[in-house]
Amino acid sequence: MTEHTVRSFDDQLKHLKNLIVQMGSLAEAELEGAIAALTRRDTGLAQSIVGSDSHLDELEQEVANLAVRILALRQPMASDLREIVSALKISSDLERMGDYAANVAKRAIALSQLPAVKPAGSIPRMARLVQAIIKDVLDSYVERDPERAVDAWRRDEEVDEMYTSIFRELLTYMMEDARNISACTHLLFIAKNIERIGDHATNIAEIIHYLVLGRQIDRARPKGDTTSFAVVRPGEGAGGGSSSEAGG
């Protein structure tokens, strides 16, 4: 970030950046807490995660108000304009990540009242990967490091592949025993919420690349989610290779 003749302009831009970092830390903590509530079947922790989501909403509004004020008073151009527009976009992605984490916590409350099912163990592994991506994306924002952002961006494909595997496994458990349907349905939505958090982290990585370099990433986003084509037939096992793919 370049220094400006008017010191207050620099202070406003720094405050904007700090708000984004604060939102990122909160979104990351919400996901971590929601997954802890799920694995421990801790309804108290889950309820606290749901309650804390309003703080992210407030911070997003603060980012929007500050951005509008800077645009009106400073009429920024070039990199300064990218800084402000990027902050608006990133804050929106972070707020949505918090919403998805809160949804995970809500379903953790429901799951705590049902018998545990085996596939629940796969979901924390996917969440840890998403958390690592979020951390790298936030670090790349602070350090203005587009290469680190692109590295995180590439790993979203692995999240998609894990989600596809969990999706197949959960379908199989529901087909094998109807008593698993309620728990597995909640787990399906939880897995999808975590996958969507990964998508929003990937969006932020793309924004950071544009913020620093002034251009989009010159490759198509890697995708590994094939759940739209997944078919699990009665009698097939819970292993990832037992289901077939229809379509291309």
Side-chain angles (χ1 to χ4, degrees):
M1 194 182 295
T2 55
E3 293 292 325
H4 299 89
T5 356
V6 182
R7 175 65 183 273
S8 58
F9 188 10
D10 287 323
D11 291 341
Q12 286 175 323
L13 290 176
K14 286 173 184 174
H15 183 43
L16 193 63
K17 182 177 177 180
N18 289 338
L19 285 172
I20 294 298
V21 172
Q22 190 178 348
M23 284 188 74
S25 299
L26 185 55
E28 188 179 359
E30 279 192 27
L31 175 58
E32 184 177 5
I35 296 302
L38 174 67
T39 55
R40 298 175 198 161
R41 299 170 72 84
D42 185 338
T43 56
L45 177 57
Q47 286 165 349
S48 72
I49 297 300
V50 175
S52 70
D53 187 51
S54 60
H55 190 195
L56 261 180
D57 298 338
E58 292 165 3
L59 287 171
E60 184 194 20
Q61 189 58 54
E62 190 174 347
V63 168
N65 292 342
L66 179 55
V68 169
R69 195 177 312 127
I70 296 172
L71 289 170
L73 296 177
R74 309 298 181 187
Q75 298 181 335
M77 299 180 69
S79 62
D80 292 331
L81 184 57
R82 290 204 306 272
E83 182 79 37
I84 297 159
V85 172
S86 296
L88 283 168
K89 289 182 176 179
I90 290 171
S91 69
S92 176
D93 278 307
L94 291 171
E95 189 275 334
R96 290 300 295 142
M97 288 162 67
D99 286 345
Y100 285 122
N103 286 341
V104 170
K106 288 174 185 176
R107 292 188 182 276
I109 295 171
L111 281 165
S112 68
Q113 303 167 47
L114 297 168
V117 292
K118 183 181 174 183
S122 306
I123 289 175
R125 289 196 294 274
M126 184 171 72
R128 284 193 292 271
L129 175 57
V130 171
Q131 284 177 267
I133 292 172
I134 294 170
K135 181 181 184 307
D136 283 346
V137 164
L138 293 175
D139 287 347
S140 72
Y141 175 74
V142 171
E143 298 161 9
R144 295 301 194 262
D145 185 345
E147 290 183 7
R148 188 167 186 175
V150 171
D151 285 342
W153 176 83
R154 289 193 187 102
R155 298 209 303 279
D156 185 56
E157 185 174 16
E158 186 179 348
V159 175
D160 289 344
E161 289 168 352
M162 290 181 74
Y163 169 63
T164 299
S165 175
I166 291 169
F167 179 88
R168 291 171 171 172
E169 186 179 10
L170 288 167
L171 286 184
T172 302
Y173 269 80
M174 286 190 278
M175 292 171 69
E176 287 179 346
D177 189 340
R179 290 172 297 183
N180 292 329
I181 289 175
S182 290
C184 286
T185 300
H186 284 298
L187 289 170
L188 274 173
F189 279 107
I190 286 173
K192 185 60 181 176
N193 286 332
I194 296 168
E195 187 269 338
R196 290 297 294 137
I197 291 172
D199 284 344
H200 282 286
T202 305
N203 288 346
I204 294 172
E206 292 174 352
I207 294 166
I208 292 165
H209 188 277
Y210 175 74
L211 166 63
V212 178
L213 301 178
R215 55 184 171 81
Q216 305 293 339
I217 296 175
D218 56 359
R219 279 155 279 177
R221 181 182 292 198
K223 297 299 292 181
D225 178 3
T226 60
T227 55
S228 298
F229 309 109
V231 176
V232 179
R233 296 185 176 86
E236 293 178 334
S242 60
S243 61
S244 62
E245 295 294 323

